[in-house]
């Protein structure tokens, strides 16, 4: 029996999380869910988007399954996602992008995973204006790339490649211009690669890599890169396989791992029963893999792929005009696992 912190989230969160739980149950994995709140739901209940009880639960269980959250506008609240990332040192954001047969995209046979450094780089949060007489004459943002931060995420990418039987790691950088920050990341990548002789290593400059991801996505296997480039390239990769509604991410850290859909809480369709639960169900499959339930993880992924290929139980975002709702789609996946 696994014990996992469950945050249903805001907007469409509770409905897609509920769908994913049914799929996990159908895959035969026993989980004791420790239900906690965050985001708007937590503000309404406790006046705090990230209550201490939620943090404590994640600290104890070390695994968290999280629906999308709405960060309240105003009130000085920090983004819950950023706070969680920092609180648990979630340094690697892992996003698989694997083509689904039956989706409406011109890109076929995409099969890559982006590993994004999630805690430093240009998103370290060191930014300021330079003012003269109250006039903003310049703005500065400082990118921080550390040896420790780079080593751990690059090693994670190689270990992931080894576990997932992937053959190549491509390090994406801009070391020709950013000679210190990107240069250090590349230098460490070359050092780490020597410890994994069975895995091919190459590096590409970010602008060329972006073009090649669109023109020849098949040349990529595992991509590892710094925070800003990873933010952009992981969304690009999602676009190659049909958009954010089909993409999940894992945030892996020293102290915990958190699994989620990539899209937001979609308040515009929150009470309509038509949210697509697939990204959340893929997040569930990634979590099952992480906790060692490999057979169930594969079965869930295959069931999702079969339902998308058949195309008869798809929500309107995937099949315009469809009357299939969240629960119908989830039920179609559950039926495959029965
Ligand atoms: P947030 O502020 O939480 O990020 P948002 O609406 O700005 O929410 P998303 O939630 O990512 O951002 O939604 C962008 C668009 O995609 C919306 O029109 C939303 O309805 C749609 N969308 C997002 N997720 C899904 C989903 N799972 N199923 C169907 N439509 C979705």
């Amino acid at each position: 029996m696994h014990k996992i912190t469950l945050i249903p989230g805001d907007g469409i969160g509770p409905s897609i999380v509920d769908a994913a739980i049914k799929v996990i149950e159908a895959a035969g994995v026993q989980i004791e869910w420790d239900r906690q709140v965050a985001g708007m739901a937590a503000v309404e209940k406790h006046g705090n988007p990230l209550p201490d009880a939620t943090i404590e639960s994640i600290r104890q269980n070390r695994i968290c399954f999280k629906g999308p959250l709405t960060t309240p506008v105003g009130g000085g609240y920090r983004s819950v996602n950023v706070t969680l990332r920092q609180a648990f040192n979630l340094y690697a954001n892992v996003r698989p992008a694997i083509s689904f047969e039956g989706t409406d995209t011109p890109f076929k046979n995409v099969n890559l995973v982006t590993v994004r450094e999630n805690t430093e780089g240009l998103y370290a949060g060191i930014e300021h204006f330079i003012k003269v007489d109250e006039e903003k004459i310049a703005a500065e943002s400082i990118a921080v790339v550390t040896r420790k931060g780079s080593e751990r995420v690059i090693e994670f990418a190689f270990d992931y490649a080894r576990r997932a039987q992937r053959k190549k790691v491509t390090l994406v950088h801009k070391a020709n211009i950013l000679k210190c920050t990107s240069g250090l990341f590349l230098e460490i990548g070359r050092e780490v690669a020597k410890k994994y002789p069975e895995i091919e290593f190459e590096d590409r400059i970010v602008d060329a890599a972006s073009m090649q991801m669109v023109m020849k996505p098949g040349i990529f296997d595992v991509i590892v890169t710094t925070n800003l480039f990873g933010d952009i390239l992981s969304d690009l990769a999602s676009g190659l396989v049909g958009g954010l509604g089909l993409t999940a991410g894992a945030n892996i850290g020293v102290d915990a791992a958190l699994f989620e859909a990539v899209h937001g809480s979609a308040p515009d369709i929150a009470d309509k029963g038509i949210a697509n639960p697939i990204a959340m169900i893929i997040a569930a499959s990634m979590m099952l893999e992480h906790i060692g339930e490999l057979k169930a993880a594969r079965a869930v992924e295959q069931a999702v792929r079969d339902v998308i290929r058949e195309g008869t139980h798809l929500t309107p975002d995937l099949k315009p005009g469809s009357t299939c709702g969240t629960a119908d789609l989830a039920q179609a996946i559950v039926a495959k696992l029965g």
Side-chain angles (χ1 to χ4, degrees), residues 112-168:
L112 62 90
V113 179
T114 14
V115 176
R116 159 188 171 193
E117 201 294 320
N118 220 7
T119 57
E120 43 186 48
L122 206 50
Y123 292 1
I126 308 171
E127 267 204 317
H128 50 251
F129 290 111
I130 295 168
K131 287 187 183 177
V132 174
D133 298 335
E134 290 313 303
E135 192 193 346
K136 291 173 186 164
I137 57 164
E140 287 181 339
S141 199
I142 296 172
V144 178
V145 170
T146 67
R147 174 164 284 276
K148 183 176 166 230
S150 306
E151 245 164 29
R152 70 182 177 183
V153 77
I154 297 167
E155 275 171 10
F156 176 88
F158 275 96
D159 286 337
Y160 179 93
R162 189 178 262 171
R163 268 199 316 278
Q165 294 174 337
R166 288 183 172 268
K167 298 192 165 37
K168 180 162 77 174

Short mmCIF file of all heavy atoms in Angstrom, two decimals, residues 112-168:
data_model
loop_
_atom_site.label_atom_id
_atom_site.label_comp_id
_atom_site.label_asym_id
_atom_site.label_seq_id
_atom_site.Cartn_x
_atom_site.Cartn_y
_atom_site.Cartn_z
N LEU A 112 10.24 11.91 -27.30
CA LEU A 112 11.34 12.54 -26.57
C LEU A 112 10.90 12.95 -25.18
O LEU A 112 9.71 13.04 -24.90
CB LEU A 112 11.90 13.73 -27.36
CG LEU A 112 10.97 14.91 -27.66
CD1 LEU A 112 11.04 15.95 -26.55
CD2 LEU A 112 11.38 15.56 -28.98
N VAL A 113 11.89 13.18 -24.32
CA VAL A 113 11.61 13.59 -22.94
C VAL A 113 12.47 14.82 -22.65
O VAL A 113 13.68 14.78 -22.87
CB VAL A 113 11.99 12.47 -21.94
CG1 VAL A 113 11.72 12.91 -20.50
CG2 VAL A 113 11.23 11.19 -22.25
N THR A 114 11.83 15.88 -22.17
CA THR A 114 12.65 17.04 -21.76
C THR A 114 12.87 17.00 -20.26
O THR A 114 11.93 16.77 -19.49
CB THR A 114 11.99 18.41 -22.08
OG1 THR A 114 10.65 18.23 -22.39
CG2 THR A 114 12.66 19.14 -23.17
N VAL A 115 14.10 17.21 -19.85
CA VAL A 115 14.44 17.34 -18.44
C VAL A 115 14.94 18.77 -18.25
O VAL A 115 15.98 19.15 -18.77
CB VAL A 115 15.54 16.33 -18.03
CG1 VAL A 115 15.93 16.54 -16.56
CG2 VAL A 115 15.06 14.89 -18.25
N ARG A 116 14.12 19.53 -17.54
CA ARG A 116 14.42 20.96 -17.36
C ARG A 116 14.95 21.22 -15.95
O ARG A 116 14.33 20.78 -14.98
CB ARG A 116 13.12 21.74 -17.60
CG ARG A 116 13.08 23.12 -17.01
CD ARG A 116 11.68 23.70 -17.15
NE ARG A 116 11.55 24.94 -16.42
CZ ARG A 116 10.40 25.54 -16.16
NH1 ARG A 116 9.27 25.01 -16.60
NH2 ARG A 116 10.36 26.67 -15.50
N GLU A 117 16.04 21.93 -15.84
CA GLU A 117 16.52 22.36 -14.53
C GLU A 117 15.49 23.35 -14.00
O GLU A 117 15.11 24.28 -14.69
CB GLU A 117 17.91 23.00 -14.64
CG GLU A 117 18.69 23.00 -13.33
CD GLU A 117 18.09 23.87 -12.24
OE1 GLU A 117 17.62 24.99 -12.57
OE2 GLU A 117 18.05 23.45 -11.08
N ASN A 118 15.04 23.16 -12.78
CA ASN A 118 13.81 23.80 -12.32
C ASN A 118 14.03 24.82 -11.20
O ASN A 118 13.06 25.38 -10.70
CB ASN A 118 12.90 22.69 -11.77
CG ASN A 118 11.45 22.88 -12.14
OD1 ASN A 118 11.11 23.74 -12.91
ND2 ASN A 118 10.61 22.06 -11.54
N THR A 119 15.27 25.03 -10.77
CA THR A 119 15.45 25.87 -9.57
C THR A 119 16.36 27.07 -9.76
O THR A 119 16.39 27.96 -8.93
CB THR A 119 16.04 25.04 -8.40
OG1 THR A 119 17.29 24.48 -8.84
CG2 THR A 119 15.12 23.92 -7.97
N GLU A 120 17.16 27.08 -10.84
CA GLU A 120 18.09 28.21 -10.95
C GLU A 120 18.05 28.83 -12.34
O GLU A 120 16.97 29.12 -12.86
CB GLU A 120 19.50 27.80 -10.50
CG GLU A 120 20.02 26.45 -10.97
CD GLU A 120 21.37 26.11 -10.32
OE1 GLU A 120 21.53 26.24 -9.09
OE2 GLU A 120 22.28 25.71 -11.08
N GLY A 121 19.18 29.13 -12.95
CA GLY A 121 19.18 29.78 -14.27
C GLY A 121 18.59 31.18 -14.19
O GLY A 121 18.69 31.87 -13.17
N LEU A 122 17.94 31.60 -15.24
CA LEU A 122 17.39 32.96 -15.30
C LEU A 122 16.15 33.10 -14.43
O LEU A 122 15.65 34.19 -14.21
CB LEU A 122 17.06 33.30 -16.76
CG LEU A 122 17.05 34.77 -17.16
CD1 LEU A 122 18.29 35.52 -16.74
CD2 LEU A 122 16.85 34.90 -18.66
N TYR A 123 15.64 31.96 -13.91
CA TYR A 123 14.45 32.02 -13.06
C TYR A 123 14.82 32.00 -11.57
O TYR A 123 13.99 31.69 -10.72
CB TYR A 123 13.51 30.85 -13.36
CG TYR A 123 12.84 30.90 -14.72
CD1 TYR A 123 13.11 31.92 -15.62
CD2 TYR A 123 11.94 29.92 -15.10
CE1 TYR A 123 12.50 31.96 -16.87
CE2 TYR A 123 11.32 29.96 -16.34
CZ TYR A 123 11.62 30.97 -17.23
OH TYR A 123 11.00 31.00 -18.45
N ALA A 124 16.08 32.32 -11.27
CA ALA A 124 16.50 32.30 -9.86
C ALA A 124 15.81 33.41 -9.07
O ALA A 124 15.87 33.44 -7.84
CB ALA A 124 18.01 32.45 -9.77
N GLY A 125 15.19 34.35 -9.77
CA GLY A 125 14.41 35.39 -9.09
C GLY A 125 15.24 36.59 -8.68
O GLY A 125 14.83 37.36 -7.81
N ILE A 126 16.42 36.74 -9.29
CA ILE A 126 17.25 37.91 -8.95
C ILE A 126 17.09 38.95 -10.05
O ILE A 126 17.70 38.87 -11.12
CB ILE A 126 18.74 37.49 -8.80
CG1 ILE A 126 18.83 36.30 -7.84
CG2 ILE A 126 19.58 38.66 -8.32
CD1 ILE A 126 20.19 35.66 -7.79
N GLU A 127 16.22 39.90 -9.81
CA GLU A 127 15.86 40.89 -10.82
C GLU A 127 15.72 42.24 -10.15
O GLU A 127 15.22 42.32 -9.03
CB GLU A 127 14.49 40.55 -11.41
CG GLU A 127 14.52 39.72 -12.64
CD GLU A 127 13.23 39.94 -13.46
OE1 GLU A 127 12.15 39.97 -12.85
OE2 GLU A 127 13.34 40.07 -14.66
N HIS A 128 16.11 43.29 -10.83
CA HIS A 128 15.86 44.62 -10.27
C HIS A 128 15.92 45.69 -11.36
O HIS A 128 16.44 45.45 -12.45
CB HIS A 128 16.88 44.94 -9.17
CG HIS A 128 18.29 44.70 -9.62
ND1 HIS A 128 19.03 43.64 -9.14
CD2 HIS A 128 19.08 45.31 -10.52
CE1 HIS A 128 20.22 43.65 -9.71
NE2 HIS A 128 20.27 44.65 -10.57
N PHE A 129 15.37 46.82 -11.01
CA PHE A 129 15.49 47.99 -11.89
C PHE A 129 16.66 48.83 -11.41
O PHE A 129 16.98 48.87 -10.22
CB PHE A 129 14.22 48.86 -11.80
CG PHE A 129 13.03 48.21 -12.45
CD1 PHE A 129 11.97 47.77 -11.67
CD2 PHE A 129 12.96 48.07 -13.83
CE1 PHE A 129 10.87 47.17 -12.25
CE2 PHE A 129 11.86 47.47 -14.42
CZ PHE A 129 10.81 47.02 -13.63
N ILE A 130 17.26 49.53 -12.34
CA ILE A 130 18.25 50.54 -11.96
C ILE A 130 17.57 51.88 -12.19
O ILE A 130 17.06 52.15 -13.28
CB ILE A 130 19.52 50.39 -12.80
CG1 ILE A 130 20.15 49.03 -12.44
CG2 ILE A 130 20.48 51.54 -12.54
CD1 ILE A 130 21.24 48.61 -13.39
N LYS A 131 17.49 52.66 -11.13
CA LYS A 131 16.70 53.89 -11.21
C LYS A 131 17.61 55.10 -11.06
O LYS A 131 18.55 55.09 -10.28
CB LYS A 131 15.68 53.94 -10.08
CG LYS A 131 14.52 53.00 -10.25
CD LYS A 131 13.53 53.29 -9.14
CE LYS A 131 12.37 52.32 -9.22
NZ LYS A 131 11.42 52.52 -8.14
N VAL A 132 17.30 56.13 -11.79
CA VAL A 132 17.91 57.44 -11.55
C VAL A 132 16.74 58.39 -11.42
O VAL A 132 15.92 58.50 -12.34
CB VAL A 132 18.82 57.87 -12.72
CG1 VAL A 132 19.33 59.29 -12.52
CG2 VAL A 132 19.97 56.90 -12.87
N ASP A 133 16.63 59.08 -10.32
CA ASP A 133 15.52 60.02 -10.09
C ASP A 133 14.18 59.36 -10.40
O ASP A 133 13.37 59.92 -11.14
CB ASP A 133 15.67 61.27 -10.96
CG ASP A 133 16.94 62.02 -10.62
OD1 ASP A 133 17.41 61.86 -9.48
OD2 ASP A 133 17.45 62.73 -11.49
N GLU A 134 13.98 58.21 -9.88
CA GLU A 134 12.70 57.50 -10.06
C GLU A 134 12.44 57.05 -11.50
O GLU A 134 11.41 56.49 -11.81
CB GLU A 134 11.51 58.32 -9.55
CG GLU A 134 11.46 58.47 -8.03
CD GLU A 134 11.68 57.14 -7.30
OE1 GLU A 134 10.93 56.20 -7.55
OE2 GLU A 134 12.62 57.07 -6.49
N GLU A 135 13.35 57.33 -12.40
CA GLU A 135 13.14 56.87 -13.77
C GLU A 135 13.82 55.50 -13.92
O GLU A 135 14.99 55.34 -13.54
CB GLU A 135 13.76 57.86 -14.74
CG GLU A 135 13.32 57.61 -16.16
CD GLU A 135 14.18 58.40 -17.16
OE1 GLU A 135 14.91 59.31 -16.72
OE2 GLU A 135 14.12 58.08 -18.33
N LYS A 136 13.05 54.54 -14.42
CA LYS A 136 13.65 53.22 -14.62
C LYS A 136 14.53 53.28 -15.86
O LYS A 136 14.01 53.35 -16.97
CB LYS A 136 12.55 52.17 -14.83
CG LYS A 136 11.73 51.91 -13.60
CD LYS A 136 10.57 51.00 -13.92
CE LYS A 136 9.66 50.86 -12.72
NZ LYS A 136 8.35 50.30 -13.07
N ILE A 137 15.82 53.29 -15.68
CA ILE A 137 16.66 53.39 -16.87
C ILE A 137 17.16 52.03 -17.36
O ILE A 137 17.62 51.90 -18.47
CB ILE A 137 17.87 54.34 -16.67
CG1 ILE A 137 18.69 53.89 -15.48
CG2 ILE A 137 17.41 55.78 -16.53
CD1 ILE A 137 20.06 54.52 -15.46
N ALA A 138 17.06 51.05 -16.49
CA ALA A 138 17.48 49.71 -16.93
C ALA A 138 16.85 48.67 -16.01
O ALA A 138 16.39 48.99 -14.91
CB ALA A 138 19.00 49.60 -16.86
N ALA A 139 16.80 47.46 -16.50
CA ALA A 139 16.33 46.34 -15.68
C ALA A 139 17.34 45.22 -15.85
O ALA A 139 17.84 44.99 -16.95
CB ALA A 139 14.95 45.89 -16.14
N GLU A 140 17.66 44.57 -14.74
CA GLU A 140 18.64 43.48 -14.81
C GLU A 140 18.05 42.20 -14.24
O GLU A 140 17.33 42.23 -13.25
CB GLU A 140 19.88 43.84 -13.98
CG GLU A 140 20.75 44.88 -14.64
CD GLU A 140 22.00 45.19 -13.82
OE1 GLU A 140 22.01 44.92 -12.60
OE2 GLU A 140 22.95 45.69 -14.41
N SER A 141 18.38 41.09 -14.86
CA SER A 141 17.96 39.79 -14.39
C SER A 141 19.22 38.92 -14.37
O SER A 141 19.94 38.87 -15.37
CB SER A 141 16.95 39.24 -15.39
OG SER A 141 16.21 38.24 -14.81
N ILE A 142 19.47 38.27 -13.25
CA ILE A 142 20.73 37.54 -13.16
C ILE A 142 20.48 36.03 -13.23
O ILE A 142 19.64 35.50 -12.49
CB ILE A 142 21.45 37.91 -11.84
CG1 ILE A 142 21.81 39.41 -11.91
CG2 ILE A 142 22.69 37.05 -11.63
CD1 ILE A 142 22.35 39.98 -10.63
N ALA A 143 21.17 35.37 -14.13
CA ALA A 143 21.05 33.91 -14.25
C ALA A 143 22.09 33.27 -13.34
O ALA A 143 23.25 33.67 -13.34
CB ALA A 143 21.27 33.48 -15.69
N VAL A 144 21.66 32.28 -12.57
CA VAL A 144 22.59 31.59 -11.68
C VAL A 144 22.68 30.13 -12.12
O VAL A 144 21.68 29.43 -12.15
CB VAL A 144 22.08 31.64 -10.21
CG1 VAL A 144 23.01 30.88 -9.30
CG2 VAL A 144 21.94 33.09 -9.76
N VAL A 145 23.88 29.71 -12.49
CA VAL A 145 24.09 28.31 -12.83
C VAL A 145 25.18 27.79 -11.89
O VAL A 145 26.29 28.31 -11.90
CB VAL A 145 24.51 28.15 -14.31
CG1 VAL A 145 24.95 26.71 -14.59
CG2 VAL A 145 23.35 28.53 -15.22
N THR A 146 24.84 26.82 -11.05
CA THR A 146 25.85 26.31 -10.11
C THR A 146 26.32 24.93 -10.56
O THR A 146 25.59 24.22 -11.27
CB THR A 146 25.28 26.19 -8.67
OG1 THR A 146 24.27 25.18 -8.67
CG2 THR A 146 24.70 27.50 -8.18
N ARG A 147 27.51 24.58 -10.11
CA ARG A 147 28.05 23.26 -10.44
C ARG A 147 27.16 22.17 -9.86
O ARG A 147 26.78 21.23 -10.52
CB ARG A 147 29.48 23.16 -9.88
CG ARG A 147 30.13 21.80 -10.01
CD ARG A 147 31.63 21.87 -9.81
NE ARG A 147 32.29 22.41 -11.01
CZ ARG A 147 32.61 21.70 -12.08
NH1 ARG A 147 32.36 20.40 -12.12
NH2 ARG A 147 33.20 22.27 -13.10
N LYS A 148 26.76 22.37 -8.58
CA LYS A 148 25.94 21.35 -7.91
C LYS A 148 24.59 21.22 -8.61
O LYS A 148 24.13 20.11 -8.90
CB LYS A 148 25.75 21.78 -6.44
CG LYS A 148 24.99 20.80 -5.63
CD LYS A 148 24.93 21.24 -4.15
CE LYS A 148 23.86 20.42 -3.45
NZ LYS A 148 22.92 21.19 -2.68
N GLY A 149 23.96 22.37 -8.90
CA GLY A 149 22.63 22.34 -9.54
C GLY A 149 22.68 21.71 -10.92
O GLY A 149 21.77 20.99 -11.33
N SER A 150 23.77 21.98 -11.66
CA SER A 150 23.88 21.43 -13.01
C SER A 150 24.16 19.95 -12.96
O SER A 150 23.56 19.16 -13.68
CB SER A 150 25.02 22.15 -13.76
OG SER A 150 24.81 23.53 -13.74
N GLU A 151 25.10 19.59 -12.08
CA GLU A 151 25.49 18.17 -11.98
C GLU A 151 24.28 17.30 -11.66
O GLU A 151 24.05 16.26 -12.28
CB GLU A 151 26.51 18.00 -10.85
CG GLU A 151 27.86 17.57 -11.32
CD GLU A 151 28.91 17.79 -10.25
OE1 GLU A 151 28.59 17.74 -9.03
OE2 GLU A 151 30.06 18.03 -10.63
N ARG A 152 23.48 17.75 -10.67
CA ARG A 152 22.40 16.86 -10.22
C ARG A 152 21.34 16.69 -11.30
O ARG A 152 20.81 15.62 -11.50
CB ARG A 152 21.82 17.29 -8.88
CG ARG A 152 21.02 18.57 -8.90
CD ARG A 152 20.53 18.91 -7.50
NE ARG A 152 19.84 20.19 -7.56
CZ ARG A 152 19.34 20.80 -6.50
NH1 ARG A 152 19.46 20.27 -5.31
NH2 ARG A 152 18.72 21.95 -6.64
N VAL A 153 21.06 17.76 -12.07
CA VAL A 153 20.01 17.61 -13.09
C VAL A 153 20.54 16.85 -14.30
O VAL A 153 19.82 16.04 -14.91
CB VAL A 153 19.38 18.97 -13.47
CG1 VAL A 153 20.28 19.77 -14.40
CG2 VAL A 153 18.01 18.75 -14.11
N ILE A 154 21.80 17.04 -14.62
CA ILE A 154 22.35 16.30 -15.78
C ILE A 154 22.49 14.82 -15.41
O ILE A 154 22.15 13.93 -16.21
CB ILE A 154 23.69 16.92 -16.24
CG1 ILE A 154 23.45 18.36 -16.73
CG2 ILE A 154 24.32 16.09 -17.35
CD1 ILE A 154 24.70 19.20 -16.93
N GLU A 155 22.94 14.56 -14.18
CA GLU A 155 23.01 13.15 -13.75
C GLU A 155 21.61 12.54 -13.74
O GLU A 155 21.44 11.38 -14.14
CB GLU A 155 23.64 13.05 -12.35
CG GLU A 155 25.15 13.01 -12.43
CD GLU A 155 25.82 13.12 -11.08
OE1 GLU A 155 25.14 13.02 -10.04
OE2 GLU A 155 27.06 13.30 -11.07
N PHE A 156 20.64 13.30 -13.29
CA PHE A 156 19.27 12.80 -13.30
C PHE A 156 18.86 12.41 -14.73
O PHE A 156 18.27 11.35 -14.96
CB PHE A 156 18.28 13.84 -12.74
CG PHE A 156 16.86 13.39 -12.83
CD1 PHE A 156 16.29 12.64 -11.81
CD2 PHE A 156 16.11 13.63 -13.98
CE1 PHE A 156 14.99 12.17 -11.92
CE2 PHE A 156 14.81 13.17 -14.09
CZ PHE A 156 14.25 12.44 -13.07
N ALA A 157 19.19 13.27 -15.70
CA ALA A 157 18.81 13.01 -17.10
C ALA A 157 19.46 11.71 -17.60
O ALA A 157 18.82 10.90 -18.27
CB ALA A 157 19.20 14.18 -17.99
N PHE A 158 20.73 11.51 -17.25
CA PHE A 158 21.41 10.27 -17.68
C PHE A 158 20.83 9.05 -16.96
O PHE A 158 20.62 8.01 -17.58
CB PHE A 158 22.92 10.37 -17.43
CG PHE A 158 23.66 11.05 -18.56
CD1 PHE A 158 23.96 12.40 -18.50
CD2 PHE A 158 24.03 10.33 -19.69
CE1 PHE A 158 24.62 13.03 -19.54
CE2 PHE A 158 24.71 10.95 -20.74
CZ PHE A 158 25.00 12.30 -20.66
N ASP A 159 20.57 9.19 -15.66
CA ASP A 159 19.98 8.05 -14.92
C ASP A 159 18.61 7.71 -15.49
O ASP A 159 18.26 6.55 -15.62
CB ASP A 159 19.84 8.39 -13.43
CG ASP A 159 21.18 8.39 -12.72
OD1 ASP A 159 22.11 7.73 -13.21
OD2 ASP A 159 21.30 9.05 -11.68
N TYR A 160 17.86 8.75 -15.80
CA TYR A 160 16.52 8.55 -16.38
C TYR A 160 16.65 7.81 -17.71
O TYR A 160 15.92 6.85 -17.98
CB TYR A 160 15.84 9.91 -16.57
CG TYR A 160 14.46 9.80 -17.18
CD1 TYR A 160 13.33 9.72 -16.38
CD2 TYR A 160 14.29 9.75 -18.58
CE1 TYR A 160 12.07 9.60 -16.93
CE2 TYR A 160 13.03 9.63 -19.14
CZ TYR A 160 11.93 9.55 -18.32
OH TYR A 160 10.68 9.43 -18.87
N ALA A 161 17.60 8.26 -18.54
CA ALA A 161 17.81 7.63 -19.85
C ALA A 161 18.15 6.15 -19.67
O ALA A 161 17.62 5.27 -20.36
CB ALA A 161 18.92 8.34 -20.60
N ARG A 162 19.00 5.88 -18.69
CA ARG A 162 19.43 4.50 -18.44
C ARG A 162 18.22 3.65 -18.02
O ARG A 162 17.99 2.57 -18.56
CB ARG A 162 20.48 4.52 -17.34
CG ARG A 162 21.16 3.23 -17.11
CD ARG A 162 22.21 3.38 -16.03
NE ARG A 162 23.55 3.58 -16.56
CZ ARG A 162 24.60 3.90 -15.81
NH1 ARG A 162 24.47 4.10 -14.52
NH2 ARG A 162 25.78 4.02 -16.36
N ARG A 163 17.46 4.16 -17.04
CA ARG A 163 16.27 3.42 -16.53
C ARG A 163 15.24 3.19 -17.62
O ARG A 163 14.64 2.14 -17.72
CB ARG A 163 15.60 4.23 -15.42
CG ARG A 163 16.06 3.95 -14.03
CD ARG A 163 15.06 4.41 -12.99
NE ARG A 163 14.48 5.72 -13.19
CZ ARG A 163 15.05 6.87 -12.88
NH1 ARG A 163 16.24 6.88 -12.32
NH2 ARG A 163 14.44 8.02 -13.10
N ALA A 164 15.04 4.21 -18.45
CA ALA A 164 13.98 4.13 -19.46
C ALA A 164 14.49 3.50 -20.75
O ALA A 164 13.79 3.49 -21.76
CB ALA A 164 13.43 5.53 -19.74
N GLN A 165 15.70 3.00 -20.71
CA GLN A 165 16.35 2.37 -21.87
C GLN A 165 16.34 3.31 -23.07
O GLN A 165 16.04 2.90 -24.20
CB GLN A 165 15.72 1.03 -22.18
CG GLN A 165 16.00 0.07 -21.06
CD GLN A 165 15.29 -1.25 -21.22
OE1 GLN A 165 14.30 -1.35 -21.91
NE2 GLN A 165 15.82 -2.26 -20.58
N ARG A 166 16.62 4.56 -22.82
CA ARG A 166 16.77 5.52 -23.90
C ARG A 166 18.26 5.62 -24.24
O ARG A 166 19.10 5.29 -23.42
CB ARG A 166 16.16 6.86 -23.50
CG ARG A 166 14.63 6.79 -23.47
CD ARG A 166 13.99 8.12 -23.15
NE ARG A 166 12.56 8.04 -23.31
CZ ARG A 166 11.90 8.33 -24.42
NH1 ARG A 166 12.55 8.74 -25.49
NH2 ARG A 166 10.59 8.23 -24.48
N LYS A 167 18.52 6.06 -25.48
CA LYS A 167 19.89 5.87 -25.98
C LYS A 167 20.76 7.13 -25.99
O LYS A 167 21.97 7.06 -26.08
CB LYS A 167 19.82 5.30 -27.40
CG LYS A 167 19.14 3.95 -27.42
CD LYS A 167 19.29 3.23 -28.73
CE LYS A 167 18.92 1.77 -28.62
NZ LYS A 167 17.79 1.49 -27.73
N LYS A 168 20.10 8.28 -25.97
CA LYS A 168 20.89 9.50 -26.19
C LYS A 168 20.43 10.62 -25.28
O LYS A 168 19.24 10.77 -25.03
CB LYS A 168 20.72 9.92 -27.65
CG LYS A 168 21.49 11.17 -28.02
CD LYS A 168 21.66 11.33 -29.52
CE LYS A 168 20.40 11.81 -30.19
NZ LYS A 168 20.60 12.10 -31.61
#
